[in-house]
Amino acid sequence: MKDKIVLITGATSGIGEGCARKFASQGANLILNGRNIQKLDALKADLENRFGVRILLLPFDVRDREAATTAIASLSGKWADIDILVNNAGLVIGVDKEFEGNLDEWDIVIDTNVKGLLAMTRLVVPGMVKRGRGHIINIGSIAGDAAYPGGSVYCATKAAVKALSDGLRIDLVDTPLRVTNIKPGMVETNFTVVRYRGDKERADEFYKGIRPLTGDDIAETVYFAASVPEHIQIAEVLVMPTHQATGTISYKKID
Ligand code: NDP
Ligand code: 8X3
């Protein structure tokens, strides 16, 4: 992984931050995207100090197509030669029924999880094709496998991530590029706090009685997919806590 260039969206928290740590620890140079500039600055300083790698910050909202286009066009020299794109930025807001939820909130979820991911792919992959090397790793979800109560729109976005990953893999089949869809189950990050609109207590309650995965656990899986020999394409991985069986069935031991 030494000297590879890895672009990670949504690197300021959870799975994205875990991926940044893991790839940096293995000698990759990183382009980190996010919206919180203070967090990006702190992460850059920490990873550069600890691992001696180079980090370029690319702060923008993945929903803002113009900002994304300008940011990718601004990359020069080695930074333009992105080897791995980790499409991670994503969220869900609320647990409303499909006929009751807030359309403006759902716009945010769809624009980030689907259109943001697609825009990043559209902007980065042509360069990979030209160079004849590259790997696109999308963070999908177990939520994309089957809908669950209160998750309709989020589940639809992650089903879209699966379709976009599969479609891209088909479109790139005559190239050396690889496409991976990582589908995590329960991962304890800020994700659930955002899902419950900032209610941290409710988010903590959700993980009571089960040992959830961490962002670092998913980062290990992402890194594994990225580091297998080039003739191997890890197409899809479903990763859950041991006590989770499906998107809706898990075992929680409450004393
Ligand atoms: P976090 O909330 O901890 O991290 C999400 C990251 O995405 C943050 O850095 C956030 O930045 C960033 N982000 C959100 N919207 C945008 C945007 N418009 N532009 C740029 N960055 C943005 O959650 P996770 O780490 O858990 O989530 C990462 C991915 O993993 C998501 O795609 C999620 O759907 C997926 N996932 C999560 C699971 C879980 O149980 N946690 C399970 C399965 C999949 P900011 O702080 O600025 O919002
Ligand atoms: C988030 C995981 O289980 O809440 O993608 O759908 S879950």
Side-chain angles (χ1 to χ4, degrees):
M1 207 47 66
K2 198 157 170 13
D3 296 331
K4 290 241 162 113
I5 307 277
V6 183
L7 192 166
I8 303 168
T9 65
T12 54
S13 172
I15 294 170
E17 190 182 341
C19 287
R21 254 193 310 272
K22 179 68 191 181
F23 279 99
S25 74
Q26 302 303 307
N29 295 318
L30 307 179
I31 303 174
L32 300 182
N33 157 264
R35 299 183 292 186
N36 184 323
I37 293 174
Q38 274 177 335
K39 277 195 190 171
L40 283 175
D41 280 338
L43 188 58
K44 172 179 158 75
D46 177 44
L47 297 179
E48 283 181 341
N49 282 341
R50 272 203 287 158
F51 304 116
V53 295
R54 294 195 307 144
I55 312 263
L56 181 76
L57 300 182
L58 222 47
F60 60 87
D61 186 319
V62 296
R63 291 173 297 164
D64 183 342
R65 195 176 298 165
E66 207 179 307
T69 306
T70 305
I72 298 301
S74 77
L75 296 173
S76 61
K78 285 304 286 169
W79 290 114
D81 297 346
I82 297 164
D83 295 291
I84 299 169
L85 167 65
V86 183
N87 267 322
N88 163 77
L91 79 169
V92 59
I93 309 172
V95 286
D96 304 298
K97 291 183 192 290
E98 192 172 318
F99 60 91
E100 293 175 340
N102 180 314
L103 286 167
D104 292 331
E105 285 179 338
W106 285 340
D107 272 345
I108 295 172
V109 175
I110 294 165
D111 288 352
T112 307
N113 299 4
V114 182
K115 291 165 74 180
L117 176 143
L118 181 57
M120 291 306 295
T121 300
R122 179 66 185 86
L123 289 166
V124 172
V125 174
M128 291 178 166
V129 171
K130 208 179 288 171
R131 291 186 294 280
R133 64 167 204 275
H135 193 164
I136 302 90
I137 303 181
N138 291 331
I139 306 299
S141 170
I142 194 171
D145 285 357
Y148 54 71
S152 172
V153 171
Y154 178 68
C155 292
T157 67
K158 292 300 181 175
V161 171
K162 176 178 166 47
L164 290 170
S165 306
D166 292 347
L168 184 63
R169 202 176 301 111
I170 291 166
D171 290 341
L172 292 172
V173 72
D174 58 348
T175 78
L177 274 63
R178 302 184 289 187
V179 181
T180 300
N181 180 21
I182 305 280
K183 306 187 300 185
M186 233 181 252
V187 189
E188 189 168 16
T189 64
N190 201 47
F191 176 86
T192 305
V193 180
V194 175
R195 163 174 269 168
Y196 292 134
R197 299 191 176 90
D199 188 340
K200 173 89 169 67
E201 226 170 276
R202 194 170 170 198
D204 290 344
E205 193 61 34
F206 179 74
Y207 298 110
K208 280 240 173 85
I210 190 166
R211 180 174 174 185
L213 301 178
T214 63
D216 290 332
D217 293 331
I218 300 303
E220 289 295 330
T221 312
V222 170
Y223 185 78
F224 173 75
S227 55
V228 292
E230 279 175 16
H231 68 290
I232 302 174
Q233 177 170 219
I234 309 282
E236 201 169 281
V237 188
L238 174 63
V239 204
M240 295 178 284
T242 301
H243 286 301
Q244 181 174 14
T246 72
T248 48
I249 299 173
S250 54
Y251 170 69
K252 293 185 178 177
K253 190 168 183 292
I254 311 287
D255 301 320

